[in-house]
Amino acid sequence: MKRIRFSVFHFFFFLLLITIGLRLPLLGETAILLISYIALLITDFRTALDQFSLSMADYFCSFLLIIAIPLFLFLKRNNLFLPKNFSFSHYTLSVLLYTFLFAPVITNDNYEFQKDISVTRLLPPFSSIHVLHLKSNTEKSGRLNDFLSLKNNVVKNSFDEKIIFFDSLQITQSGVFYFQNERGNGLPLSSIEMVDGKPYISIKFFLLGSDEFGRDIFTRIIYGTRISLLIGFCAVILSLIIGVVLGFLAGFSGGVTDILLSRLTDMFLSFPIIFFIILILAFFGNSFISVIVVLGFSGWMSLFRIVKGEILSLKTKDYFITARQLGLSGTKLLLKEALPIIAIPVIVNTVFQFGNVVLSESALSFLGLGIGNEFPSWGGMINSGQEYLSQAWWMILFPGAAIILTLVTVNDFGRKLAQYFNPRLHE
Amino acid sequence: MKSSALFLSLIKRLTTSVFVLFLTVSFLFVLVRIAPGDPSQKFLSPNLSPQLVERVKSSFQLDKQIHEQYISFLKNALTGDFGVSYSFHRPVNEVIAEVLPFTILFSLSAFILQLIGGLLFAVLAFRYHQKFWDKFLSRGSLFLYAVPSFVSGLFFVYLFSVQLQIFPSSGIKTVGTLENNYFFLLLDYAHHLFLPVLVLSLTGLPVYFKYFRENFEENQNKLFTLYLRANGISERKILFSHLIPNSLNSIIAYAGVDLGILFSGALITEVIFSLPGMGRLAVGAILQRDYPLIIGCTLTAGVLIILTSLLADLIRLKIDKRLIKGLLN
């Protein structure tokens, strides 16, 4: 029997199993929601469209992926391109990818959720807060209402008026009296959900503490991972396209085009590019798209140089000249002769570029010029934590650790990739 | 023959640089022109009569054709006249001249620190090649390379300013220091600048460490080192008189560009420690749409970068005469 080696595949499986174990009720509810949404789509198309939201689609995707990925991995387990021996960066890379894919299932909280700021603001890590649940007073039945209550159960809103965070509680004959940061408030017993004649009290756990608005930092970091990686992917693809196309142009045509493009590259390289980025973002407004575009446009220079260099050296190679003399068409020359040659250095460079983009994005968010406050981002979290440095170190430590971990992982992955493609490269 | 080749290569180098600078400035002009709104808007109120609006616009020469604007813009930029800053109400040159000395002092000290630190650690790693210290330093530099300056900066502020209260967290001098006592003034500056310089140099240190270490490793496997070793030259002498000088070439080329970029402002470090440097000046100008100041800052940065990389090339030429050929092509 073959000895089973522990590999990335198993680690990913392990993470999945943990999530499924912890979030089984949520996954079940998501499954029911998905089925009832499909039913709604068939019976009442218009209402279904009205009820559609991106966050719900997000939950559906996570749910489907959580079923599909293990199946896929299991079926394809023998011919997967996955490293057999693995190291620290493999762990962290799988954690990052995992977080990216399954963010809603991992936290099941809205990243904007805030309530009762006087109790929940600036909580240290590992603190838990008692929660009082109010009765939902409108108990309507009906298909749509069932669907809506189910949806509210799964997809969390940024505000929930049915719950109250409190510090301490006094139960009297007529009602309950709860205290929020020295301030007392009374409620009749009839409005509170009861279990066995006592008010139902649950506990909300803040794993990594909360920020100045009482938002859960863990949730925000998880969603921040998504935003950072997404911006990284998009910007890198943009610079990949620009760099490769311009590099091909300069390499193949030579002459004036080459000189102009090379000087343009020099211009971009010989200037602290962050000022250009800030200039453009300040003049034309900063949003999700503009950050991607600007970061994409500011990172193509190294790719351009690599592609141009490779093409120039390729043009002098005998086999390439022969292929040309034999009358291979331009596209065929590109696809069959040039692309395989440039692919390897370009891929390696792209990985490093990805790290640069993630770093630039968080730096921009730190300066307040990132994607704005609509989405959580690591740099933005650090920026808001700067003000509370003396009171709440966790507001900076955890997002900072997330950035460092991501960058270490990406750089390490890039080096491993370079080594894999070029084994002569020493350590 | 050699001196003429050197001269030729320098001329070529300079023309390229000037062309790049010209491109930068033109790019900036285009950016400023296509940005929504124009510079005169800040000075116009909706209550002004149309005639007055026209007069204000013509005082900015905005009524002229775009190519005329471009030519006069180039002319002014060439003579070093960037006009008056909108937010400071003073000539741009004066404003820049005020922050430049500080920026140069600040970035130069960080630069020297990271260069020396990188060299020292690389020598240490080389001494204990493939042993604990080497591995520790290599891993550590990889980690340090991934730490953004705003994370390390805030960490140091938290540790040294909030918890231990050893170093001040912002500014460059204590209010009310005796201005005429130069010794205390210097001490006060050093006290304030210790953390910022440390943070700024930490970002560059791993890069220099890696450059030096890789160069040592590469040269160590070459035949001339083997020959020296076979002749019984001590390891110390090989390192200091052969390995280090041989690795300087590529490092100086990198250091030239690096120093220039440092001169143009270490934005994030300046923001964290609220220092009056070029980076904050430029970003402040951008955010306030102070067009003359933006262009002034950009050109200053560009000139500084070109000068430092030129200086680096000159030093490299001085060290290694073989490079003249390379520069000519």
Side-chain angles (χ1 to χ4, degrees), chain A residues 67-222:
Chain A
I67 296 170
I69 285 184
L71 269 179
F72 177 77
L73 285 180
F74 194 72
L75 290 177
K76 288 246 166 194
R77 66 188 180 283
N78 286 328
N79 43 3
L80 266 182
F81 179 71
L82 280 178
K84 282 284 184 289
N85 57 332
F86 73 147
S87 63
F88 177 72
S89 75
H90 290 141
Y91 277 115
T92 46
L93 196 68
S94 21
V95 169
L96 277 179
L97 271 180
Y98 180 74
T99 316
F100 181 77
L101 288 177
F102 301 121
V105 187
I106 293 172
T107 71
N108 188 30
D109 255 332
N110 192 304
Y111 53 80
E112 289 288 352
F113 183 80
Q114 40 180 301
K115 183 94 206 298
D116 299 322
I117 296 179
S118 59
V119 182
T120 53
R121 88 193 280 268
L122 298 181
L123 286 174
F126 298 109
S127 50
S128 45
I129 289 289
H130 299 281
V131 187
L132 206 60
H133 293 260
L134 295 185
K135 252 182 204 158
S136 36
N137 41 7
T138 47
E139 286 287 348
K140 282 185 215 154
S141 56
R143 211 167 177 171
L144 190 61
N145 280 315
D146 282 351
F147 174 76
L148 282 182
S149 66
L150 196 62
K151 188 185 161 194
N152 280 339
N153 252 347
V154 175
V155 184
K156 296 287 192 292
N157 283 323
S158 63
F159 187 77
D160 189 353
E161 43 189 28
K162 294 272 154 40
I163 61 173
I164 293 171
F165 291 102
F166 65 91
D167 291 325
S168 58
L169 188 73
Q170 277 176 6
I171 305 167
T172 55
Q173 287 293 316
S174 55
V176 292
F177 216 66
Y178 62 89
F179 290 93
Q180 290 178 333
N181 204 10
E182 312 290 311
R183 209 164 51 93
N185 253 326
L187 270 179
L189 274 177
S190 57
S191 65
I192 302 169
E193 255 185 55
M194 309 286 272
V195 175
D196 301 334
K198 280 183 184 164
Y200 171 56
I201 294 169
S202 63
I203 284 176
K204 178 155 167 68
F205 184 62
F206 289 87
L207 182 65
L208 302 181
S210 66
D211 65 2
E212 80 271 32
F213 298 119
R215 297 176 296 195
D216 186 20
I217 288 183
F218 178 67
T219 309
R220 290 179 72 74
I221 287 181
I222 295 289

Side-chain angles (χ1 to χ4, degrees), chain A residues 267 270-272 282-283 407 415, chain B residues 24 31 142 146 264 289 298 305:
Chain A
M267 177 187 102
S270 74
F271 189 79
F283 281 4
L407 292 180
R415 280 187 318 121
Chain B
T24 315
L31 261 187
L142 282 179
S264 63
R289 307 230 164 176
T298 317
I305 289 175

Side-chain angles (χ1 to χ4, degrees), chain A residues 13 179 195 264 344:
Chain A
F13 221 82
F179 290 93
V195 175
L264 193 73
I344 288 167

Side-chain angles (χ1 to χ4, degrees), chain A residues 201-274:
Chain A
I201 294 169
S202 63
I203 284 176
K204 178 155 167 68
F205 184 62
F206 289 87
L207 182 65
L208 302 181
S210 66
D211 65 2
E212 80 271 32
F213 298 119
R215 297 176 296 195
D216 186 20
I217 288 183
F218 178 67
T219 309
R220 290 179 72 74
I221 287 181
I222 295 289
Y223 277 94
T225 314
R226 250 188 179 184
I227 299 294
S228 285
L229 296 191
L230 195 66
I231 288 180
F233 285 133
C234 297
V236 155
I237 286 170
L238 191 62
S239 16
L240 188 71
I241 293 170
I242 299 171
V244 170
V245 168
L246 289 185
F248 266 123
L249 265 179
F252 270 118
S253 58
V256 184
T257 332
D258 182 18
I259 291 173
L260 270 180
L261 283 174
S262 301
R263 290 295 90 78
L264 193 73
T265 321
D266 283 350
M267 177 187 102
F268 271 94
L269 278 177
S270 74
F271 189 79
I273 199 76
I274 188 140

